[in-house]
Amino acid sequence: MAYDPNNIFAKILRGEIPCVKVYEDDHVLAFKDIQPKRNVHVLVIPKGPYEDMTAFAEKATDAEIAAYTRAVAKIARELKVAEKGYRLIANTGADGHQEVPHLHFHILGGEPCGPMIKAKD
Ligand code: AMP
């Protein structure tokens, strides 16, 4: 899958669409999910053009990967979910039900997140 520069998170990064920003550094932006599924629901994205975790792990620089990893933990602390726990989700590709083709981790918490995934019917 080639990176689509017109995906909605690329537009947020370019400032073409607003977001409720919770964190930013040279490599990372985090903002509130527009349809929160828990009391805390924040999306963390790298600023580089990576469609998913596979592309990010294979193509990003060590500095980008370190910054992204550290930012996720720092944001979880700042959101005050680190102590009681939270769920990190990176939906990836079609089977992973990824809707926006720019890597994002969902940080979900502030209340119990329930079982990881429903069993198949
Ligand atoms: P995923 O299914 O993992 O690709 O998740 C995409 C997420 O992006 C969903 O939880 C949406 O609610 C969220 N989303 C879509 N558009 C926006 C937006 N403009 N601002 C914030 N979150 C958004």
Side-chain angles (χ1 to χ4, degrees), residues 9 31-34 43 91 97-100 104 106:
F9 295 169
F31 49 91
K32 290 188 178 180
D33 195 291
I34 205 166
L43 302 173
N91 295 322
H97 208 282
Q98 180 178 2
E99 291 172 359
V100 180
H104 50 284
H106 300 249

Side-chain angles (χ1 to χ4, degrees), residues 50-68:
Y50 305 109
E51 59 267 31
D52 60 18
M53 191 61 197
T54 309
F56 185 65
E58 291 174 353
K59 298 177 193 167
T61 65
D62 288 356
E64 288 175 302
I65 291 170
Y68 190 59

